[in-house]
Amino acid sequence: MIRFNHFNFNVLDLEKSLKFYEEALGLKIESEKKAADGAFRIVYLTDGVTDFRLELTWLKDRTEPYDLGDEEFHVALTTDEFEKWHKHHEEMGCICFENHDMGIYFINDPDGYWIEIVPER
């Protein structure tokens, strides 16, 4: 059997991203890997409920923003407190797109990655 393990976003400012993911989504650090020479850090975030992890990879020598193409790829999270989180994300100013017909919205992280927020149905 094959099952999902994690999804990766490469980030320019790991500390800024860690703060965002905790504040915006309540994700916490599960584990971390560091290169002996300091060339990279990989941090795995968890929601504390599912086995799925979001991997944030920071590369020391990277200074240019990542090319996110047309921003068509994203990770999605489900919540049973949709209105509460929507209000929180509005206050944070991180909502980048709303699809009222589908009842979903997207936030973007400090690097411009889109995260879809889906109500539990």
Side-chain angles (χ1 to χ4, degrees):
M1 179 177 165
I2 301 253
R3 56 189 171 92
F4 283 107
N5 183 277
H6 70 269
F7 188 82
N8 175 74
F9 285 153
N10 282 32
V11 299
L12 285 179
D13 184 332
L14 183 59
E15 297 309 317
K16 184 176 183 179
S17 293
L18 290 171
K19 182 180 179 199
F20 172 83
Y21 282 99
E22 182 168 358
E23 181 181 348
L25 300 168
L27 302 181
K28 305 281 188 206
I29 296 173
E30 178 189 73
S31 62
E32 183 173 346
K33 296 177 184 177
K34 295 179 183 180
D37 65 358
F40 68 84
R41 282 177 63 194
I42 298 172
V43 177
Y44 293 96
L45 302 178
T46 179
D47 60 14
V49 178
T50 67
D51 291 334
F52 187 83
R53 298 175 300 165
L54 179 62
E55 173 188 305
L56 301 181
T57 301
W58 171 82
L59 304 172
K60 181 177 111 177
D61 293 335
R62 181 70 184 214
T63 58
E64 296 297 318
Y66 289 93
D67 180 358
L68 304 183
D70 293 329
E71 300 169 332
E72 290 297 324
F73 61 92
H74 61 273
V75 64
L77 287 86
T78 302
T79 179
D80 60 356
E81 300 176 307
F82 188 82
E83 294 303 322
K84 172 189 156 190
W85 283 103
H86 187 277
K87 182 176 189 265
H88 179 65
H89 294 141
E90 275 184 324
E91 291 168 357
M92 288 181 67
C94 62
I95 295 176
C96 57
F97 180 76
E98 293 190 63
N99 185 323
H100 297 286
D101 291 338
M102 292 181 69
I104 62 172
Y105 68 94
F106 292 80
I107 62 174
N108 57 352
D109 83 349
D111 289 277
Y113 293 106
W114 283 32
I115 299 116
E116 181 178 356
I117 307 300
V118 180
E120 196 168 273
R121 301 182 203 264

